[in-house]
Structure formats: C-alpha cells, structure tokens
Amino acid sequence: MTDGKSTCIYIAASAYDGRYTRICVASIRYFYPDIPIRLVVGGPLERGLAEELRRHWRVETADLPRGDYGWGFVKLEVLFGPPGEKFLVLDSDTVLTGPVLDAWSESRAAFLVDDETQSEADMKRLYYDWEKVRTADPAARPPRFVFNTGQWFGTAGVLQRDDFTPWVEWTMPRKLRHPEHFMPGDQGILNYVLNRKAETESLCIERRKIMRWPGHSMDGLSAETVSKRAAAPLVVHWAGMKRMRQRDMVGSDLLAFFERVYYQQLTAGGPRRIAAGCRDALSAWLLDVRVKVKLRSRKWLR
C-alpha cells in the first residue's frame, strides 16, 4: 500500500496554518519522496502556498468545490473519494517521525485510528456525549473507542454521505444538526459514525498508538533521533499547543528541523525562512487581537 499507487496523504490546510503545512509536507517527503500528497482546503488559503507546494514539493490540491466548509468538516470529503482508495489524513500542525504508513500496509482494516485512552468525562467533552445523543438516537451506546481526527487512516467508499446526513447539514459551511451533543467540527461526528458502524455492521477498525501529543511527552522524538531515522514512527500533533513564537513550543527542535528541510528545497531558502517566520508571527498576533476584540465586544454588548 505504500507504493504511492493505492495510498495517498491528505493534509487539511487553512489560511492560518501555512507555516505548519510546509513543515508537515517536508516531514512526509523526508520519509516518502514519491507518495501523492494532496491538500484538502476548507476555506481561504495563504496566497501562493498551493503553487509553491506544487512547484517545489509535488503537492496537489484535492479536487473539491471551493468554499467555507467550517471547522474540520472538509476532512470528511476524502471518505467519498474514489472507492477503495487508501489514505492518511493529517492536520497541518503535525509531522511524521518515521515511516508511519508501514502500520497501514500491515493492516487489513478499513480504518486505523490512534489507540487513545480517555475518561468518560473527557470523551463527552472532546468527542460526543452519548447519553445526550440517545435523545436523537435511542440506540446510542458508550463509545468503544475515541481518536483525535488530526491523524487517521481510512478507505474511501466505505462510508457514504448518507451515514452522516442525520447528523450533518451539507451546507456551506457544514453544520451539526445537534451541536449540543457533539464537539464542534468533524471530530465528534466522525467518532460517533465509526462507533455506530463498528457496533451495527461489524466495520473493521483497528487501533494502534500512532499519535504523540507533545503535552504528554516527546521522549525519543527529537530532531537528532528523527534525522538519524532512529525515532519511533509516529505522528506528532501539536493540537492546542501552538504558540505565537514557534521556538516557545514543546518539540520546537523538530519543527525547526523540518522547516530547514523545507527551505533547503527553495531558492534563497534561508532569507525566505526568516521572512516566513516573521509573517507567521505577525499573522498569529493579528488573529489573537481580532479574537480578543470580538470577545470583548460581545461582553460589552451583553
């Protein structure tokens, strides 16, 4: 499955994650020089990013209708692609630390997700509240598994749009029909639909430890171990951990390593890397200001 013909990697890209998207792409190409990489774009994208990635890193953009899909919902679209296509879905703020697709090539399951352990309270907070869901679906049960949707392996054509229709309005942007039951975005609803399919139709879903969250540990995963190809093959995901200055982040050495790899491929890579870092910091600051102003305005109006 890792020959680049039956497997591809999709990266969810947005206007605010351009720097991370570049780093993510560099980490994939470090281990898989030829695998197809496609951006799934659910809204505006940094100007010139798609062309830059296509020209220098052979990254294509998935053929999807352009528009505002809402938070994370564009990742569901890959489920409805060419039947039988095997894929890995990644958020932009991730990097590979080794040949993670080997786990997928060994699996016969339709889906492979992270083997995550959460308390019942955190399952309800981060994914969905199964007791509340029972008001709409009396057959709802406690989830057998939960996983962060910033990294998961899937097979197109196994799930249909109709499987989500009772829970998702296919408008632009997408909307949850019962937002009070699910975490916003794609995460809660994808977990719920896969749990129901596993329960009612015995859909084969394999669980392995494929994700590392820096908030728990970065043991064994450093720029040195990864560059020597001595690190465990995992997906590091900085979910909820991004900072205005990248060097202040846990695991910043790994981000810096792949950022250098990325700009080594470009003419005048050094100056362009510095300029991109400044642009990213400014964008993060402006976004932070906009959010604070919006929140304060709402508070004042109330």
Side-chain angles (χ1 to χ4, degrees):
M1 294 182 185
T2 58
D3 59 2
K5 297 179 181 178
S6 55
T7 301
C8 69
I9 298 179
Y10 289 103
I11 303 174
S14 72
Y16 299 110
D17 280 337
R19 187 176 188 185
Y20 293 94
T21 303
R22 292 178 174 93
I23 292 171
C24 180
V25 166
S27 78
I28 296 169
R29 283 283 177 250
Y30 195 77
F31 298 103
Y32 296 102
D34 300 315
I35 195 165
I37 303 175
R38 300 175 191 141
L39 300 182
V40 283
V41 183
L45 198 61
E46 179 187 313
R47 185 176 180 180
L49 176 62
E51 176 59 23
E52 179 183 303
L53 291 171
R54 185 195 66 78
R55 181 184 304 166
H56 298 287
W57 292 93
R58 291 174 292 112
V59 174
E60 301 299 327
T61 300
D63 185 16
L64 299 174
R66 300 305 292 267
D68 179 8
Y69 283 76
W71 183 23
F73 283 107
V74 72
K75 289 183 282 185
L76 298 181
E77 297 301 309
V78 303
L79 291 165
F80 317 128
E85 178 185 69
K86 300 284 185 177
F87 55 78
L88 166 63
V89 174
L90 296 173
D91 279 353
S92 285
D93 55 344
T94 61
V95 301
L96 306 190
T97 61
V100 298
L101 291 177
D102 290 359
W104 191 217
S105 66
E106 298 165 3
S107 176
R108 295 185 179 276
F111 294 86
L112 172 61
V113 301
D114 187 51
D115 187 11
E116 187 173 312
T117 302
Q118 297 283 1
S119 67
E120 182 172 357
D122 281 341
M123 285 185 187
K124 291 179 177 180
R125 178 176 63 88
L126 297 171
Y127 297 96
Y128 61 92
D129 188 327
W130 69 272
E131 290 180 305
K132 290 182 178 179
V133 174
R134 292 185 77 173
T135 61
D137 179 6
R141 298 288 183 272
R144 297 182 181 181
F145 57 87
V146 290
F147 65 98
N148 181 288
T149 56
Q151 57 288 302
W152 52 281
F153 296 88
T155 307
V158 175
L159 298 181
Q160 308 300 319
R161 205 174 290 274
D162 286 348
D163 294 318
F164 294 89
T165 297
W167 312 101
V168 176
E169 295 182 22
W170 299 108
T171 54
M172 285 288 193
R174 309 301 196 219
K175 296 179 182 178
L176 291 171
R177 297 185 188 277
H178 302 279
E180 68 278 12
H181 301 343
F182 299 92
M183 179 183 179
D186 65 300
Q187 182 158 289
I189 199 63
L190 180 58
N191 270 264
Y192 180 70
V193 169
L194 284 179
N195 268 275
R196 291 291 286 130
K197 286 289 184 177
E199 193 174 295
T200 61
E201 300 178 18
S202 299
L203 178 64
C204 187
I205 302 169
E206 187 175 345
R207 299 166 61 191
R208 296 193 189 189
K209 183 50 67 177
I210 59 176
M211 172 193 173
R212 177 74 65 85
W213 188 57
H216 287 154
S217 168
M218 285 294 287
D219 289 348
L221 302 179
S222 64
E224 181 180 5
T225 57
V226 170
S227 64
K228 293 180 178 178
R229 300 179 186 263
L234 296 168
V235 178
V236 180
H237 187 182
W238 282 267
M241 296 195 68
K242 294 194 287 292
R243 298 290 181 268
M244 194 172 299
R245 296 190 306 178
Q246 207 171 82
R247 63 177 177 269
D248 294 336
M249 293 168 57
V250 178
S252 60
D253 64 318
L254 198 53
L255 292 165
F257 169 71
F258 281 122
E259 191 168 53
R260 287 193 296 271
V261 170
Y262 181 90
Y263 282 102
Q264 286 169 2
Q265 190 81 359
L266 277 63
T267 304
R272 291 177 74 166
R273 182 187 174 203
I274 294 171
C278 294
R279 183 175 64 244
D280 179 76
L282 178 60
S283 296
W285 179 78
L286 290 172
L287 177 62
D288 183 62
V289 169
R290 284 198 294 269
V291 170
K292 288 180 179 177
V293 169
K294 189 174 183 179
L295 292 175
R296 287 174 182 171
S297 298
R298 289 178 177 176
K299 183 177 179 181
W300 181 80
L301 288 171
R302 285 198 298 267

